[in-house]
Each structure stands twice: as structure tokens, then as C-alpha cells.
Amino acid sequence: RSSDLHKGYMIWQEVFDNGVKIKQDTVVEIWKMSKCNEELHNVTAAGFTTILSAPWYLDYISYGQDWQRYYKVEPLNFTGTAEQKRLVIGGEACLWGEFVDATNLTPRLWPRASAVGERLWSSVNVRSLGDAYNRIVQHRCRMVRRGIAAEPLYIGHCNHEYNGN
């Protein structure tokens, strides 16, 4: 039994939306962007814990500094009580394979997933794009130094790339 192992269930939101009877310890993943905040309200109002992935699909093809779009999301920005907001236990960055394969997986993922991590780990009051940019650029350069092919956030370079290190 899963309860003996202290494990529960995680389902996609359609199961909840379709009225399937689910156990109270089930975690509902909100992955559809349409009416995402309404869905967060409904799932948490029913007393279920949830994680949010809807705004963090990293495989969308876009131009420019798309990391900002991921960073600006506030997962608790939905209508609900403090108790409902406590039921939002995290989020997930997702990367499907329609436009990604072994040749571009790592650069597509990083540093976009870093922006998602920044948002999820940061207080609701931490909002400065400039400060986030500086932290993510530093992290990107650490990854590049370690051999991880992370895309640049914008123009610029890592200092170690030009000083022989």
C-alpha cells in the first residue's frame, strides 16, 4: 500500500476536472494554461494540494529574453484564502520533445529552467528582473565552465571564455 510507504498520488488536472473520485492525499498538477488561476482556485478549494506547471513549458519557440516570461509568474497569484495558497506546494518546468532533441535539449533547458527555479525558490517580494538577470547570468557561466551548454540570456559572455580558463 502506498500509505505504508508514505507515498501518495499525483495526477493531471483532467482527472479532477472530470469529477473522478480521488483520494484526499492526491496532488493535482495544473498543466493547462487556459484559466490556470481559476483551476488553482478550484483544486485548492476542494482541499487538494497542487503543483503548477502551466506557465513553465520551456519548449515553446520564442524570440528574445523569454526567461523573463517564466520569471514573472507568481504561482500564488490566484483568488483564494491563505489556506488555499498553502496547498500550492511547488511547480515544475516542463520540456516536451516536439522541437527538442539531443542536439538542442540542454541549451533549450538552461538557463530557462533557472528562471523557473528562481521564481519558485524566491519570496513573492523578490521581483527585480535586473537582479534575477545578474544571478542567472552568474549561474549560466558556472554551468558553461562545467561543460554544460547553456544558452546566453542576452548579449554578453562569460569572463572565463576569454581569459583562458
Side-chain angles (χ1 to χ4, degrees):
R1 291 182 5 190
S2 66
S3 61
D4 295 338
L5 299 172
H6 304 288
K7 299 193 184 282
Y9 305 92
M10 186 157 76
I11 59 170
W12 280 343
Q13 69 188 72
E14 296 91 331
V15 179
F16 173 84
D17 292 344
N18 290 324
V20 175
K21 184 174 168 75
I22 52 180
K23 296 176 99 178
Q24 200 56 46
D25 66 344
T26 301
V27 177
V28 180
E29 180 172 358
I30 309 300
W31 72 276
K32 291 183 177 181
M33 197 59 190
S34 175
K35 299 182 181 178
C36 174
N37 286 339
E38 182 180 324
E39 189 76 16
L40 280 166
H41 171 81
N42 293 341
V43 169
T44 57
F48 292 101
T49 55
T50 185
I51 65 168
L52 180 63
S53 62
W56 296 308
Y57 275 79
L58 307 181
D59 51 314
Y60 290 127
I61 303 302
S62 58
Y63 179 77
Q65 297 188 64
D66 61 353
W67 70 272
Q68 293 179 0
R69 180 177 83 204
Y70 303 123
Y71 182 79
K72 288 179 182 178
V73 173
E74 175 47 56
L76 301 180
N77 192 23
F78 67 95
T79 303
T81 65
E83 178 58 33
Q84 283 178 266
K85 293 183 185 217
R86 279 192 288 275
L87 292 173
V88 180
I89 60 171
E92 176 184 33
C94 302
L95 185 62
W96 290 91
E98 290 93 339
F99 304 108
V100 179
D101 65 15
T103 65
N104 67 348
L105 171 67
T106 302
R108 184 81 202 147
L109 179 62
W110 302 110
R112 289 168 185 84
S114 298
V116 176
E118 273 270 333
R119 181 71 276 133
L120 289 169
W121 297 325
S122 296
S123 163
V124 67
N125 301 323
V126 176
R127 306 298 303 166
S128 169
L129 284 173
D131 292 345
Y133 176 83
N134 291 332
R135 287 189 300 271
I136 296 170
V137 164
Q138 287 177 347
H139 185 57
R140 183 227 171 221
C141 288
R142 281 192 298 268
M143 289 189 287
V144 170
R145 181 174 293 174
R146 294 173 181 164
I148 299 168
E151 280 185 359
L153 274 81
Y154 192 56
I155 55 174
H157 64 278
C158 298
N159 289 336
H160 74 276
E161 296 175 299
Y162 292 97
N163 67 14
N165 294 333

